[in-house]
Amino acid sequence: MPMSHVTAPLRVVIVGGGLSGASLAWHLAQMQVPVVVTVIEPRAELGRGLAYSTTEPTHRINVPAHRMSLDPDHHDDFADWLREAAASGRLPPDDQADAGRGDLFPRREVFGQYVADRLAPHLQAGAVRHLRARVQDIQRNEDGSLLLHLSDDGLVRADLLVLATGHPPPAVPKVLAGLSGQGPLVADPYDPAQLARVPKDARVLIMGAALTSADVIATLDRQGFQGQITCISRHGLRSRGHGEVIRESEVDFTDPPLQGASDLLRRVRHAIVDDLAQGQGWQATIQRVRDQGGAIWTALDSAARRRLLRHLRTYWDVHRFRIAPQVEAVLDRLIGAGRLRYLAGHLTSAMPQADGSVQVAWRLRGTRQIQRQPFDRVIVTTGPAHDRCIDGNPALSALARLGLIAPDPLGLGLDTTLRGWARDPKGRDSDRVLIAGPLARGQVGELVGAPECSVHSLHLAQEIALHATFGPTAPSIEHARAVGQD
Ligand SMILES: Cc1cc2nc3c(=O)[nH]c(=O)nc-3n(C[C@H](O)[C@H](O)[C@H](O)COP(=O)(O)OP(=O)(O)OC[C@H]3O[C@@H](n4cnc5c(N)ncnc54)[C@H](O)[C@@H]3O)c2cc1C
């Protein structure tokens, strides 16, 4: 008679419990994958991360609630949860959440509450364990497993390690280096204390014109700010609003197969013209590009990807990452009152002055013209420094020292396979380390918004399930489906 072996379940450790780490833990628990799941995250609640831990009331989700579900098979899960939570009195009243078109844009912290709420039963049942700590160092054991050193001196062993450390802190642009440590510089726009110190009548310069810049302006406005704001960015374009989408676009950007970046641009332009001719906003086409983003990106070679990033990224970012209608209304009001303007150009110098202000010089885009103006505050909203994600994080630095991870060639995060496994500096696939969330977007494509993060986490959960069943030689999920092992 064959001997039966009882093997210990795989220890899956997720570093980072923002939306990516929390949704992966949730999918693993929902699928009842036979693994032990530990999430290491210093914040009190899983699912909040950088985006959803804010308590600022003007910070709203920028994608309507019916698109922000944890469960890709149940699009209305968040919207349903909102209704239930409001009806049962668990949510404070928010009469501004409905922007008037039936689309709900609740406060971002409410979305964090939803994710934490969905995960709670799995935490209580012990299917997921949350350790409130930061990973400070990682070593490799002789059997190839990894030993994590935590900030509370704890040690955790991982058979599989998932990096879900998300958005690195923003970097201060070189031109502002002389202001570091000085009062007029607001280096971290996500820190409410720094924004609360901006005087109400200040002359404010914001570097960056996208979503974070819009968040900052809405926050200042809520604080009773009465001064002037100048936003400067390379193209001077601000994040667009949602407009009206009558019906979803059905254009297929993947068939026939794309011939490169210019072909994609041509097809998107044609689709927008068609949509406009039918009285439909361009938003329908951009949503379609976003929905097919993974397939589009993976169909392009690395030269085409580089071209897209170099020439089209700004345009993509301001049209795809749209602002909530409530925030758009604030920006429009301030522009209308002559208190907010957008400039296209780049800063050439920023000199601190004796009176505490900063003399800033910039060159307007497409000209040689230098303009100068004093400001009382300079706020950096140029976004997380993804190209420096390894250096700024001890967990990632330790894995890089062990030769287990490498930056992706496009500077968007970490190098991965399409199935989510980390690649080492020699391009070899790991069978220990997986990458979740925006860190993997160099390979996966559009992977920043909550809908895409949830889908990616589901794919990683399926990959882990296969690995737990078959070991490192696991077939792909497509192969497993084809042979009926799904
Ligand atoms: C300000 C902002 C607003 C957004 N708003 C929306 C929106 O309205 N709608 C939408 O669809 N998308 C939105 N997004 C995008 C999206 O939801 C995020 O990309 C998503 O939150 C990514 O989550 P994450 O878990 O990968 O990263 P993060 O949220 O950055 O979380 C990473 C977590 O890892 C932890 N961590 C890091 N290093 C360590 C370590 N060494 N040890 C332990 N823990 C560690 C951190 O504490 C953090 O909690 C927003 C993004 C941002 C930045």
Side-chain angles (χ1 to χ4, degrees), residues 300-471:
L300 297 172
D301 62 20
S302 59
R305 291 177 185 180
R306 269 182 215 284
R307 265 204 303 283
L308 279 185
L309 288 174
R310 192 173 334 118
H311 299 298
L312 294 180
R313 183 168 177 184
T314 307
Y315 298 97
W316 174 245
D317 283 353
V318 298
H319 289 90
R320 166 253 176 273
F321 297 105
R322 300 198 280 277
I323 42 178
Q326 299 89 337
V327 177
E328 188 182 11
V330 173
L331 303 192
D332 287 346
R333 173 165 49 78
L334 294 183
I335 291 170
R339 291 180 38 220
L340 169 63
R341 64 174 176 159
Y342 287 85
L343 297 178
H346 77 270
L347 259 55
T348 53
S349 67
M351 308 294 291
Q353 306 293 300
D355 65 357
S357 67
V358 184
Q359 181 71 12
V360 178
W362 62 85
R363 190 152 67 81
L364 285 179
R365 185 177 171 83
T367 73
R368 294 186 174 281
Q369 194 189 341
I370 300 281
Q371 296 188 334
R372 287 186 179 77
Q373 199 179 313
F375 290 95
D376 304 303
R377 288 290 182 280
V378 179
I379 305 178
V380 180
T381 68
T382 44
H386 284 109
D387 55 339
R388 290 183 226 164
C389 61
I390 293 181
D391 295 346
N393 193 307
L396 274 57
S397 308
L399 289 172
R401 276 196 304 276
L402 291 171
L404 294 177
I405 58 168
D408 80 79
L410 297 172
L412 296 174
L414 298 176
D415 201 7
T416 71
T417 69
L418 259 184
R419 288 167 63 178
W421 297 97
R423 283 213 182 100
D424 74 9
K426 291 187 176 152
R428 291 173 303 205
D429 303 352
S430 171
D431 59 6
R432 289 277 172 193
V433 182
L434 288 142
I435 314 291
L439 286 173
R441 69 201 164 126
Q443 183 62 266
V444 177
E446 184 54 48
L447 184 54
V448 174
E452 288 83 5
C453 290
S454 299
V455 171
H456 190 242
S457 290
L458 171 63
H459 291 164
L460 289 189
Q462 291 167 335
E463 187 67 17
I464 291 171
L466 286 172
H467 192 91
T469 312
F470 298 102

Side-chain angles (χ1 to χ4, degrees), residues 16 18-20 41 43 50 52 61-62 68 135 166-167 393 438 448 450:
L19 176 63
S20 302
E41 164 60 54
R43 292 179 212 261
L50 174 63
Y52 311 107
I61 59 169
N62 52 47
M68 283 193 52
V135 177
H167 302 284
N393 193 307
V448 174

Side-chain angles (χ1 to χ4, degrees), residues 12-18 21-22 25 37-41 46 119 123 128-133:
V12 176
V13 179
I14 303 171
V15 185
V37 183
T38 304
V39 185
I40 303 172
E41 164 60 54
L46 297 183
L119 206 50
L123 285 162
V128 176
R129 194 166 64 127
H130 174 197
L131 298 183
R132 271 195 82 181

Side-chain angles (χ1 to χ4, degrees), residues 11-15 36-41 129-141 145-161:
R11 288 160 297 195
V12 176
V13 179
I14 303 171
V15 185
V36 177
V37 183
T38 304
V39 185
I40 303 172
E41 164 60 54
R129 194 166 64 127
H130 174 197
L131 298 183
R132 271 195 82 181
R134 211 172 144 73
V135 177
Q136 301 284 45
D137 196 10
I138 302 177
Q139 290 170 334
R140 191 166 20 191
N141 297 314
S145 64
L146 296 162
L147 188 65
L148 280 64
H149 295 250
L150 308 191
S151 50
D152 61 2
D153 294 331
L155 292 174
V156 175
R157 204 177 174 112
D159 300 313
L160 281 188
L161 182 69

